[in-house]
Amino acid sequence: MSNLVDFHCHLDLYPDFERAVERCERAGVFTLTVTTTPKAWRRNAEVTGATKYVRAGLGLHPQLVGERAAEIGLWERLLPETRYVGEVGLDAGPRYYSSFDVQKKVFAHILEACAEAGNKILSVHSVRSAKIVLDMVEAHMPPDRGKVVLHWFTGSAAEARRAADLGCYFSINEQMLAKEGKTAFLRSLPRERLLTETDGPFTKVGDRAAEPTDAGRALAPLAALLGLDETETKALIYANLRKLLF
């Protein structure tokens, strides 16, 4: 087992979904493969159902809510089939702002349904909407009813502290660590709440899509940020995963 963690990846968007899952299994990378619509869930559940290291999330991506808000009913019917939820959340970027009010209604519904069900783990998108996402988590997701992992979080240091106070985790990728000016913000994140991710295939390693085995590429820069060595950082991330899951 590699003890690597990729807590946000889109394996069903790779050219060969089944082989991408097999590569995770062979490498022993704990991978959360998120979906963008509930209609994709059944296939994801079938391909990952017998795996040791890959878990599939039931998603309704905020960037697609403008077209697919009506699928929230299907999402809710499928929720009992999985502990993992994602990708969900809000996106207030210019391309998606026209659907922001609908996104908020859908996200509130998702949070309430997860809180009612209990013991769900959510991978949450929060582009240009960190404060509102945190407001909604605080209003609809008590910490004892589920756990939120903020994927590629780009809020302020104050918002990160608030998120930590709400019990949130943070999944960090290599691209985030490469951004100038983000060092102080990333150092402010509580190390006991850090996980790694790739967000593949939307991130690249050279000219190819990043894969879960590339999650380890974040370890060296993260170790430097935390003042640890790479082995200690890898052990920290895996310990954080175990705490999240168990």
Side-chain angles (χ1 to χ4, degrees), residues 37-38 60-62 64-75 99 101-103 105-106 109-110:
T37 74
L60 183 48
H61 199 296
L64 300 180
V65 163
E67 308 160 18
R68 295 177 177 265
E71 290 184 30
I72 188 62
L74 174 60
W75 179 93
S99 68
D101 286 342
V102 180
Q103 290 180 42
K105 290 177 183 175
V106 167
H109 191 114
I110 287 170

Side-chain angles (χ1 to χ4, degrees), residues 31-242:
T31 304
L32 177 65
T33 179
V34 296
T35 54
T36 56
T37 74
K39 288 185 176 179
W41 166 253
R42 186 65 60 214
R43 178 67 174 147
N44 275 260
E46 290 171 355
V47 174
T48 65
T51 63
K52 183 175 181 180
Y53 298 110
V54 184
R55 304 290 182 270
L58 172 64
L60 183 48
H61 199 296
Q63 293 177 354
L64 300 180
V65 163
E67 308 160 18
R68 295 177 177 265
E71 290 184 30
I72 188 62
L74 174 60
W75 179 93
E76 190 162 17
R77 290 193 297 276
L78 293 170
L79 183 61
E81 298 185 18
T82 181
R83 187 184 183 195
Y84 300 89
V85 172
E87 183 168 0
V88 296
L90 300 177
D91 193 314
R95 288 182 62 190
Y96 306 105
Y97 194 74
S98 62
S99 68
F100 198 63
D101 286 342
V102 180
Q103 290 180 42
K104 286 188 286 185
K105 290 177 183 175
V106 167
F107 187 46
H109 191 114
I110 287 170
L111 290 171
E112 289 168 358
C114 289
E116 182 178 355
N119 200 36
K120 304 297 186 184
I121 299 174
L122 291 72
S123 182
V124 174
H125 178 113
S126 57
V127 169
R128 298 193 180 188
S129 55
K131 179 185 182 300
I132 299 174
V133 163
L134 295 177
D135 287 346
M136 294 179 72
V137 168
E138 185 170 18
H140 302 294
M141 176 64 76
D144 64 342
R145 299 303 301 163
K147 297 178 181 178
V148 170
V149 181
L150 295 165
H151 145 66
W152 206 323
F153 187 71
T154 56
S156 67
E159 287 166 338
R161 288 192 295 271
R162 182 185 175 201
D165 289 342
L166 292 172
C168 297
Y169 286 69
F170 305 84
S171 53
I172 307 297
N173 59 56
E174 182 187 23
Q175 194 166 320
M176 294 171 68
L177 291 158
K179 284 202 170 185
E180 292 183 14
K182 283 293 183 182
T183 302
F185 160 69
L186 290 168
R187 193 179 285 116
S188 75
L189 301 179
R191 62 180 62 189
E192 71 275 8
R193 301 281 181 78
L194 297 179
L195 301 168
T196 46
E197 64 161 63
T198 63
D199 201 19
F202 297 107
T203 56
K204 304 291 182 185
V205 175
D207 59 358
R208 66 170 175 82
E211 296 208 7
T213 50
D214 295 310
R217 296 174 62 88
L219 292 175
L222 188 56
L225 198 68
L226 298 175
L228 302 173
D229 66 35
E230 194 168 333
T231 300
E232 290 171 325
T233 303
K234 185 178 184 181
L236 171 71
I237 298 300
Y238 191 69
N240 292 347
L241 174 70
R242 290 187 59 82

Side-chain angles (χ1 to χ4, degrees), residues 13-29:
L13 299 183
Y14 288 78
D16 191 328
F17 179 26
E18 292 86 350
R19 287 192 63 190
V21 171
E22 288 171 5
R23 288 193 293 273
C24 293
E25 281 290 282
R26 285 199 305 271
V29 182

